[in-house]
Amino acid sequence: MALSRVCWARAALWGSAVPPGLYVVRRLQFVRSGLTWGAPRSSKLHLSPKADVKSLISYVVTKTKVINGKYHRFLDRHFPRFYVLYTIFMKGLQMLWADAKKARRIKTNMWKHNIKFHQLPYREMEHLRQFRRDVTKCLFLGILSIPPFANYLVFLLMYLFPRQLLIQHFWTPKQQIDFLDIYHALRKQSHPAILCYLEKVVPLISDAGLQWHMTELCTKMQRGTHPAVHDILALRECFANHPLGMDQLRALQMKALSRAMLLTPYLPSVLLRHRLKTHTTVIHQLDKALAKLGVGQLTAQEVKSACYLRGLNSTHIAEERCRTWLGEWLQISCSLKETELSLLLHNVVLLSINYVGSRR
């Protein structure tokens, strides 16, 4: 009797031959009583999906680093010259990406706190100024790459003309020195024309005292003498109005000044004047921010970059001399009003042409 009951229960649980009516009754009883039959649980422990994804990403990153290291060793061993270019190109991309993120962070902060460009600290202002110039150069390459299969031609042009098409992030250390010397030689070609124009306008100056100061300054420049700060500031009135004010400059003088500022001279007079005004205003704003920071707070590279931007070939001049020259520039710049910025524009030539070590 007991054995038959055991067999009956086993048959009911495992689906053996059971009368249909009795199976339905049993099923209803189980459902009504709230009992459910589910799949048997596994005794093994599994990681969470997040942990699985993290471990997979870690594995992929590790393997990628190993493969990348082998690839670099292969290039260095079999193609050493190409490997140098490849390394510089990859580092340049990383620096450009870092610059882009920093510029975005600065712009976001400006937007959130309603800060204007001239209210930024010096380093942030300089970073935005340089990044805009770099992006403009990169956009030119992007436009050249738009036609089908033109990207291959662009890579060839980048290799053949790195000075004209690439930014400094993609130059080798030797190229940085050589290219800066070439650019300075190009802007030095405009110095005689600028000084000659200053001599020609002497009779147009109404004040006799200012005429004498201008003649003395031109004589000193021709003799190779570096002018003092007070010699330049004595002429500030000449550069505020006729004949040397920003709005009174002639087309040939604006083209020469554009070359001295490393700006393209091949534009109509209206655009040349606008670009010169904009560029000089930005430098004046940078000078005010730098005066607040102090020249002593700049690194050696920052000092040399600041001097080169303002007309001095600082690549072959000692750091202390560069700091001295930059201090003289700030003394002049911070003394000028917005209506006298034409003097700051000409100061690119006046203060740098005869400075010790700059005649390369």
Side-chain angles (χ1 to χ4, degrees):
M1 187 69 178
L3 183 61
S4 63
R5 290 179 179 176
V6 171
C7 293
W8 182 264
R10 182 178 180 183
L13 289 174
W14 298 102
S16 299
V18 180
L22 184 59
Y23 174 78
V24 172
V25 173
R26 293 280 185 182
R27 184 69 175 172
L28 289 174
Q29 287 177 355
F30 281 126
V31 172
R32 288 173 182 174
S33 62
L35 297 176
T36 56
W37 297 93
R41 296 182 179 180
S42 174
S43 60
K44 296 181 179 180
L45 295 176
H46 292 278
L47 296 174
S48 65
K50 292 184 178 180
D52 290 341
V53 172
K54 288 182 180 180
S55 61
L56 178 61
I57 293 175
S58 178
Y59 175 79
V60 171
V61 170
T62 303
K63 285 296 182 181
T64 303
K65 289 181 178 180
V66 173
I67 296 173
N68 193 39
K70 292 181 179 179
Y71 178 65
H72 280 210
R73 289 191 294 271
F74 172 79
L75 290 179
D76 189 19
R77 189 180 307 113
H78 296 87
F79 307 98
R81 295 183 63 183
F82 174 77
Y83 178 70
V84 172
L85 297 177
Y86 171 78
T87 304
I88 293 174
F89 183 75
M90 295 305 297
K91 288 182 179 180
L93 287 178
Q94 293 174 1
M95 289 188 290
L96 182 61
W97 179 247
D99 288 348
K101 291 194 295 184
K102 184 177 180 180
R104 182 182 179 183
R105 185 167 61 250
I106 295 172
K107 295 292 289 185
T108 302
N109 186 56
M110 292 173 63
W111 179 78
K112 284 183 178 180
H113 299 90
N114 195 23
I115 300 175
K116 303 299 182 181
F117 176 79
H118 66 274
Q119 297 173 330
L120 291 172
Y122 170 76
R123 287 191 173 93
E124 293 184 357
M125 290 176 66
E126 174 60 23
H127 183 84
L128 286 183
R129 185 202 65 82
Q130 185 61 46
F131 182 71
R132 289 170 184 170
R133 292 178 65 89
D134 293 344
V135 168
T136 302
K137 216 169 189 179
C138 293
L139 285 178
F140 177 72
L141 285 178
I143 293 174
L144 291 179
S145 305
I146 290 177
F149 305 104
N151 52 342
Y152 300 105
L153 177 61
V154 169
F155 281 116
L156 178 61
L157 293 176
M158 289 164 56
Y159 178 76
L160 295 176
F161 306 100
R163 178 175 64 85
Q164 293 86 349
L165 298 178
L166 297 180
I167 61 177
Q168 292 191 26
H169 292 334
F170 300 98
W171 295 350
T172 64
K174 184 178 183 302
Q175 285 177 337
Q176 290 185 10
I177 297 176
D178 294 342
F179 292 168
L180 290 179
D181 285 342
I182 293 174
Y183 278 127
H184 185 70
L186 291 175
R187 63 185 179 187
K188 274 185 65 176
Q189 294 176 2
S190 64
H191 291 180
I194 295 173
L195 293 178
C196 181
Y197 181 79
L198 292 179
E199 291 180 346
K200 289 181 179 180
V201 300
V202 171
L204 301 178
I205 300 175
S206 58
D207 187 272
L210 294 178
Q211 282 187 0
W212 182 84
H213 279 295
M214 180 65 75
T215 305
E216 283 294 310
L217 180 63
C218 293
T219 304
K220 286 183 178 181
M221 303 298 292
Q222 291 175 350
R223 292 176 179 174
T225 304
H226 178 66
V229 172
H230 60 82
D231 292 333
I232 296 176
L233 287 177
L235 296 168
R236 55 195 301 175
E237 294 183 13
C238 299
F239 293 88
N241 302 300
H242 182 80
L244 294 172
M246 191 72 78
D247 295 328
Q248 286 78 33
L249 294 176
R250 297 181 180 179
L252 292 178
Q253 181 72 348
M254 288 190 294
K255 289 183 178 181
L257 289 169
S258 296
R259 293 189 182 95
M261 300 294 286
L262 295 178
L263 301 174
T264 177
Y266 307 108
L267 291 174
S269 298
V270 177
L271 295 180
L272 284 177
R273 196 183 310 276
H274 174 72
R275 290 199 70 188
L276 289 174
K277 282 184 178 180
T278 303
H279 197 70
T280 309
T281 301
V282 170
I283 292 180
H284 192 225
Q285 293 170 349
L286 283 169
D287 292 340
K288 291 181 178 180
L290 179 55
K292 292 180 181 179
L293 177 65
V295 178
Q297 300 298 320
L298 299 182
T299 63
Q301 183 59 40
E302 289 175 334
V303 169
K304 288 182 175 292
S305 298
C307 292
Y308 194 89
L309 173 65
R310 292 158 177 82
L312 183 69
N313 187 15
S314 54
T315 55
H316 305 284
I317 302 178
E319 178 188 344
E320 290 303 319
R321 288 189 175 274
C322 289
R323 291 184 185 274
T324 302
W325 185 90
L326 189 57
E328 294 179 0
W329 173 282
L330 293 180
Q331 188 176 350
I332 296 173
S333 178
C334 295
S335 301
L336 299 178
K337 302 176 183 177
E338 292 184 2
T339 57
E340 301 168 342
L341 290 185
S342 179
L343 176 56
L344 189 66
L345 182 59
H346 287 79
N347 201 40
V348 172
V349 179
L350 298 177
L351 200 63
S352 64
I353 188 173
N354 293 325
Y355 193 68
V356 178
S358 64
R359 302 179 189 179
R360 286 178 174 265

